[in-house]
Amino acid sequence: MTEDRILLGLGLTVVLAVGSQILASRLRIPAIIVLLLVGFAAGALTDIIDPDKLVPDFSALVSLSVAVILYDSGLALDLRHLRGATRRTVVRLILLGVLLTWGTLIALGPALFGVPLAVASMIGVIIVVSGPTVVEPLLDHVRPADRVRRVLVWEGALIDPIGGILGVVVFHSVVSGGFRTGHGFRFADFLGGIALGLAGGAVGSVLLWFTLRVLRLGETLGTLAQLATVIAVAAACDMVYDDTGLIAAIVAGMTVANLPGFDMPARRPFFETLVQLVIGLLFVSISASVSPKAVVPVLLPTLAIVAVLVLLLRPLVAVLSTAGTDLGAGERAFVGWMAPRGIIAASTAATFSAALVDKGLEGADKILPVTFLVVVGTVLVYALTARAVAAHLGVVRSARARPLLVGGAPWVIDLARALRAAGLDVLMWAGSAEEQERIRDAGIELAGGELLATATDPDAPLEGVTAVFLLTDDDDFNVLASVVVRDGVDGPVLRIGPPPDSRALVAPYAEGDVLFGRHLVRHTLTQRLAQGARFVVQPASGARPPGHDTLFVVRPDGRLEPATETRPVTPTEGDTLILLGPAPPNGGR
């Protein structure tokens, strides 16, 4: 392949990876669907995207890329947040799901695909993995009840690294002689590989401690240090023993997430962007490496496996795992209808398949096409049906808004009363004990805990919040909180505008939309209320009184639309308005 064709192939791979994710976001479907189909089509229709020709050792690159993804998955596993009934249900789902799925493929694989037991076992352990990269976009589309979402998100987050570890364990079992007739199982090699991965994870954790805690590198350099550490440790482990770097990456990520001294930030935009790009590149490249002629022989047997996974195994696992919990019948049924396979399954299949083919294992060339079809089949089934199933089972979250008002000033409490009078479930948060007592006296639900920590806690009350309005007297707090809280809320996060003469350091220069617009900044609003203005709730069908400003519109289905600087709201028949009236003449006297 000439240099020009290599440059064209690499450039086209990046464009397809990024473009597919942009298209998926616009279509509101999981990016994995577009990435898989686009990559497969690119590989089938052209020879420009050929990973084995574009990269000298594609399997090594995949292995290091998977190590980065698994490290990122490990970072999401702060086990302190997994507790109570959710923990019991998730542990059962993972344990039973792994055992039943793996056992079924070991039993059916040799007959369906004509492969030896070793290959069937490898396929089985690969497809036990789901993952948040595909589960969360589906749940965002479906919007199920909070506790169902919590169970499924935690299952996806935990099964990624667990499945990765199991995959490495089985891989080394196969390589060291397990599952092969006439050969003894070399426990020393097997246990040595696992020990090496754990040792690599420990070394990586020490290096990360040094770079992140001792040197206290900033976001950009800290991200680069993490990336370099994970790749270096994974590469070193793989040089000694194949694919032990994956264990090292998982161990390092989980150590960083759970060791108190690290105190990793809730948001890591630079690292998350890198991981997202790696995922896109992997999906396009791996899909392009699956040829149609490799898919055709395993198509019908794999469709049978998909049917067994979707219609039999997952519902059975869900019934057994949720028995005795407080989940309702509909919630339990929906848990049984959500187990798509994702990036870890596809990438580990590419890694292990290539290595086993090189070692001459019969049937190893079927691992990747089978896994590819399972990923495509499960994602398509759940993506096309999950929303309708959730609606039929009655587990779709209500569209009715549940806003969180941050601040405990009297006028904020009056605004909360007005929103509640319009039929909304209102939640409030305040920092001082005096403001908290004022909120309780008003009979409004008070969100407990520290706001910024609560916003990033998956088990916290913010999980049910649909909008956050930052209305404190501290303009800098409002700006900074809006940045931290934004990713933890499925809806708008807006702040009240600062006065023109504000002494705040950040707020006067901060960008972003402002609640109520610049003509109703904090001091203007409080002055009008102090002079006797009042919040008014009235149907949109009535004429708006002169001098009244529209603050919110509540739609008939309970959706809340705030008026902002860039997006004024237009009421229609059936809506309810929350207005701010003018100050009475002479201050109400």
Coordinates of all heavy atoms in Angstrom, one line a residue, residues 309-356:
L309 N -30.3 -15.6 23.4 CA -29.8 -14.5 24.4 C -31.0 -13.6 24.8 O -31.2 -13.3 25.9 CB -28.7 -13.7 23.8 CG -27.3 -14.5 23.6 CD1 -26.4 -13.6 22.9 CD2 -26.8 -14.9 25.0
V310 N -31.7 -13.1 23.7 CA -32.7 -12.1 24.0 C -34.0 -12.7 24.5 O -34.6 -12.1 25.5 CB -33.0 -11.3 22.6 CG1 -34.2 -10.4 22.8 CG2 -31.8 -10.6 22.2
L311 N -34.4 -13.8 24.0 CA -35.8 -14.3 24.3 C -35.8 -15.3 25.5 O -36.8 -15.5 26.2 CB -36.4 -15.0 23.1 CG -36.6 -14.1 21.9 CD1 -37.1 -15.0 20.7 CD2 -37.5 -13.0 22.2
L312 N -34.6 -15.9 25.8 CA -34.6 -16.9 26.8 C -33.7 -16.5 28.0 O -34.1 -16.4 29.1 CB -34.2 -18.3 26.2 CG -34.1 -19.4 27.2 CD1 -35.4 -19.7 27.9 CD2 -33.6 -20.7 26.5
L313 N -32.4 -16.4 27.7 CA -31.4 -16.2 28.8 C -31.6 -14.9 29.6 O -31.6 -15.0 30.8 CB -30.0 -16.3 28.2 CG -29.5 -17.6 27.8 CD1 -28.0 -17.5 27.3 CD2 -29.5 -18.6 29.0
R314 N -31.7 -13.8 28.9 CA -31.8 -12.5 29.6 C -33.1 -12.5 30.5 O -33.0 -12.1 31.6 CB -31.7 -11.3 28.6 CG -31.8 -10.0 29.3 CD -30.7 -9.8 30.3 NE -30.9 -8.5 31.0 CZ -30.0 -8.0 31.8 NH1 -28.8 -8.6 32.1 NH2 -30.2 -6.8 32.4
P315 N -34.3 -12.8 29.9 CA -35.4 -12.8 30.8 C -35.3 -13.7 32.0 O -35.7 -13.4 33.1 CB -36.6 -13.3 29.9 CG -36.1 -12.9 28.5 CD -34.6 -13.1 28.5
L316 N -34.7 -14.9 31.8 CA -34.5 -15.9 32.9 C -33.5 -15.3 34.0 O -33.8 -15.3 35.2 CB -33.9 -17.2 32.4 CG -33.6 -18.2 33.4 CD1 -34.8 -18.6 34.2 CD2 -32.9 -19.4 32.8
V317 N -32.4 -14.7 33.5 CA -31.5 -14.0 34.4 C -32.2 -12.9 35.2 O -32.0 -12.8 36.4 CB -30.3 -13.5 33.7 CG1 -29.4 -12.6 34.6 CG2 -29.4 -14.6 33.1
A318 N -33.0 -12.1 34.5 CA -33.7 -11.0 35.2 C -34.7 -11.5 36.2 O -34.8 -10.9 37.4 CB -34.4 -10.1 34.2
V319 N -35.4 -12.5 35.9 CA -36.4 -13.1 36.9 C -35.7 -13.6 38.1 O -36.1 -13.3 39.2 CB -37.2 -14.2 36.2 CG1 -38.1 -14.9 37.2 CG2 -38.2 -13.6 35.1
L320 N -34.7 -14.3 37.9 CA -33.9 -14.9 39.1 C -33.2 -13.8 39.9 O -33.2 -13.8 41.1 CB -32.9 -15.9 38.6 CG -33.5 -17.2 37.9 CD1 -32.4 -18.1 37.4 CD2 -34.4 -17.9 38.9
S321 N -32.7 -12.8 39.2 CA -31.9 -11.7 39.9 C -32.8 -10.7 40.6 O -32.3 -10.2 41.7 CB -31.0 -11.0 38.9 OG -30.2 -11.9 38.2
T322 N -34.0 -10.5 40.2 CA -34.8 -9.5 40.8 C -35.8 -10.1 41.7 O -36.7 -9.3 42.3 CB -35.5 -8.6 39.7 OG1 -36.3 -9.5 38.9 CG2 -34.5 -7.9 38.8
A323 N -35.8 -11.4 41.9 CA -36.8 -12.0 42.8 C -36.5 -11.5 44.2 O -35.4 -11.4 44.7 CB -36.6 -13.5 42.7
G324 N -37.6 -11.1 44.9 CA -37.5 -10.7 46.3 C -37.1 -9.2 46.4 O -36.9 -8.8 47.6
T325 N -36.9 -8.5 45.3 CA -36.6 -7.1 45.4 C -37.9 -6.2 45.4 O -39.0 -6.8 45.2 CB -35.7 -6.7 44.2 OG1 -36.5 -6.8 43.0 CG2 -34.5 -7.6 44.1
D326 N -37.7 -4.9 45.6 CA -38.9 -4.0 45.6 C -39.2 -3.5 44.2 O -40.1 -2.7 44.0 CB -38.6 -2.9 46.5 CG -37.4 -2.0 46.1 OD1 -36.7 -2.5 45.2 OD2 -37.2 -1.0 46.7
L327 N -38.6 -4.1 43.1 CA -38.9 -3.7 41.8 C -40.3 -4.3 41.4 O -40.6 -5.4 41.7 CB -37.9 -4.2 40.8 CG -36.5 -3.6 40.9 CD1 -35.5 -4.4 39.9 CD2 -36.5 -2.2 40.6
G328 N -41.1 -3.5 40.7 CA -42.4 -3.9 40.3 C -42.3 -4.9 39.1 O -41.2 -5.1 38.6
A329 N -43.4 -5.5 38.8 CA -43.4 -6.5 37.7 C -43.0 -5.9 36.4 O -42.2 -6.5 35.7 CB -44.8 -7.1 37.6
G330 N -43.4 -4.7 36.1 CA -43.0 -4.1 34.8 C -41.5 -3.7 34.8 O -40.8 -3.9 33.8
E331 N -41.0 -3.3 36.0 CA -39.6 -2.9 36.1 C -38.7 -4.2 35.9 O -37.7 -4.2 35.3 CB -39.3 -2.3 37.4 CG -40.0 -0.9 37.5 CD -39.9 -0.3 38.9 OE1 -40.1 -1.1 39.9 OE2 -39.7 0.9 39.1
R332 N -39.2 -5.3 36.5 CA -38.4 -6.5 36.4 C -38.4 -7.0 35.0 O -37.4 -7.5 34.5 CB -39.0 -7.6 37.3 CG -38.9 -7.3 38.8 CD -39.7 -8.3 39.7 NE -39.1 -9.6 39.6 CZ -39.6 -10.7 40.0 NH1 -40.8 -10.6 40.6 NH2 -39.1 -11.9 39.9
A333 N -39.6 -6.9 34.3 CA -39.6 -7.3 32.9 C -38.7 -6.5 32.0 O -38.1 -7.0 31.1 CB -41.1 -7.2 32.4
F334 N -38.7 -5.2 32.3 CA -37.8 -4.3 31.4 C -36.3 -4.6 31.7 O -35.6 -4.6 30.7 CB -38.1 -2.8 31.7 CG -37.3 -1.9 30.8 CD1 -37.8 -1.8 29.5 CD2 -36.2 -1.2 31.2 CE1 -37.1 -1.0 28.6 CE2 -35.5 -0.4 30.3 CZ -35.9 -0.3 29.0
V335 N -35.9 -4.9 32.9 CA -34.6 -5.4 33.1 C -34.3 -6.6 32.3 O -33.1 -6.8 31.8 CB -34.3 -5.7 34.6 CG1 -33.0 -6.3 34.9 CG2 -34.4 -4.4 35.4
G336 N -35.3 -7.4 32.1 CA -35.1 -8.6 31.2 C -35.1 -8.3 29.8 O -34.9 -9.3 29.0
W337 N -35.3 -7.1 29.4 CA -35.3 -6.7 28.0 C -34.3 -5.6 27.7 O -34.5 -4.7 26.9 CB -36.7 -6.2 27.5 CG -36.9 -6.2 26.0 CD1 -36.9 -5.1 25.2 CD2 -37.0 -7.3 25.2 NE1 -37.0 -5.4 23.9 CE2 -37.2 -6.8 23.9 CE3 -37.1 -8.7 25.4 CZ2 -37.3 -7.6 22.7 CZ3 -37.3 -9.5 24.3 CH2 -37.4 -9.0 23.0
M338 N -33.1 -5.8 28.3 CA -32.0 -4.8 28.1 C -30.7 -5.4 28.4 O -30.2 -5.4 29.5 CB -32.3 -3.5 28.9 CG -31.3 -2.4 28.7 SD -31.2 -1.8 27.0 CE -32.8 -1.2 26.7
A339 N -30.0 -5.9 27.4 CA -28.7 -6.5 27.5 C -27.9 -6.5 26.2 O -27.5 -7.5 25.7 CB -28.7 -7.9 28.1
P340 N -27.8 -5.3 25.6 CA -27.0 -5.2 24.3 C -25.5 -5.4 24.6 O -25.0 -5.1 25.6 CB -27.3 -3.8 23.9 CG -27.5 -3.0 25.1 CD -28.2 -3.9 26.1
R341 N -24.9 -5.9 23.5 CA -23.4 -6.1 23.6 C -22.8 -4.9 23.0 O -23.4 -4.2 22.1 CB -23.0 -7.4 22.9 CG -23.0 -8.6 23.8 CD -24.3 -8.9 24.4 NE -24.3 -10.1 25.3 CZ -25.3 -10.5 26.0 NH1 -26.5 -9.8 25.9 NH2 -25.2 -11.5 26.7
G342 N -21.5 -4.5 23.4 CA -20.9 -3.3 22.9 C -19.4 -3.4 22.6 O -18.9 -4.4 22.1
I343 N -18.7 -2.3 22.8 CA -17.4 -2.1 22.3 C -16.4 -3.1 22.9 O -15.5 -3.6 22.3 CB -16.9 -0.7 22.6 CG1 -15.5 -0.4 22.1 CG2 -17.0 -0.3 24.1 CD1 -15.3 -0.7 20.6
I344 N -16.6 -3.4 24.2 CA -15.6 -4.3 24.8 C -15.7 -5.7 24.2 O -14.7 -6.4 24.0 CB -15.8 -4.4 26.4 CG1 -15.6 -3.0 27.0 CG2 -14.9 -5.4 27.0 CD1 -14.2 -2.4 26.7
A345 N -16.9 -6.2 23.9 CA -17.1 -7.5 23.3 C -16.4 -7.5 21.9 O -15.7 -8.4 21.5 CB -18.6 -7.8 23.1
A346 N -16.7 -6.4 21.1 CA -16.1 -6.4 19.8 C -14.6 -6.3 19.8 O -13.9 -6.9 19.0 CB -16.7 -5.2 19.0
S347 N -14.0 -5.4 20.7 CA -12.6 -5.2 20.7 C -11.8 -6.3 21.3 O -10.8 -6.7 20.8 CB -12.3 -3.9 21.4 OG -12.8 -3.9 22.7
T348 N -12.4 -7.0 22.3 CA -11.7 -8.1 22.9 C -11.7 -9.3 21.9 O -10.8 -10.1 21.8 CB -12.3 -8.6 24.2 OG1 -13.7 -8.7 24.1 CG2 -12.0 -7.5 25.3
A349 N -12.8 -9.4 21.1 CA -12.9 -10.4 20.1 C -11.8 -10.3 19.1 O -11.2 -11.2 18.6 CB -14.3 -10.4 19.4
A350 N -11.6 -9.0 18.6 CA -10.6 -8.7 17.7 C -9.2 -9.1 18.2 O -8.4 -9.7 17.5 CB -10.6 -7.3 17.2
T351 N -9.0 -8.7 19.5 CA -7.7 -9.0 20.1 C -7.4 -10.5 20.2 O -6.4 -11.0 19.8 CB -7.6 -8.3 21.5 OG1 -7.8 -6.9 21.3 CG2 -6.2 -8.6 22.1
F352 N -8.4 -11.2 20.9 CA -8.2 -12.6 21.2 C -8.2 -13.5 19.9 O -7.5 -14.5 19.7 CB -9.2 -13.1 22.2 CG -9.1 -12.4 23.5 CD1 -10.3 -12.1 24.2 CD2 -7.9 -12.1 24.1 CE1 -10.2 -11.5 25.4 CE2 -7.8 -11.5 25.3 CZ -9.0 -11.2 26.0
S353 N -9.1 -13.1 19.0 CA -9.2 -13.9 17.7 C -7.9 -13.9 16.9 O -7.4 -14.9 16.5 CB -10.3 -13.3 16.9 OG -10.4 -14.0 15.6
A354 N -7.3 -12.7 16.8 CA -6.1 -12.6 16.0 C -5.0 -13.4 16.7 O -4.2 -14.1 16.0 CB -5.6 -11.1 15.9
A355 N -4.9 -13.3 18.0 CA -3.8 -14.0 18.8 C -4.0 -15.5 18.6 O -3.0 -16.3 18.4 CB -3.8 -13.6 20.2
L356 N -5.3 -16.0 18.7 CA -5.5 -17.5 18.6 C -5.3 -18.0 17.2 O -4.9 -19.1 17.0 CB -6.9 -17.8 19.2 CG -7.1 -17.5 20.7 CD1 -8.6 -17.7 21.1 CD2 -6.2 -18.4 21.5

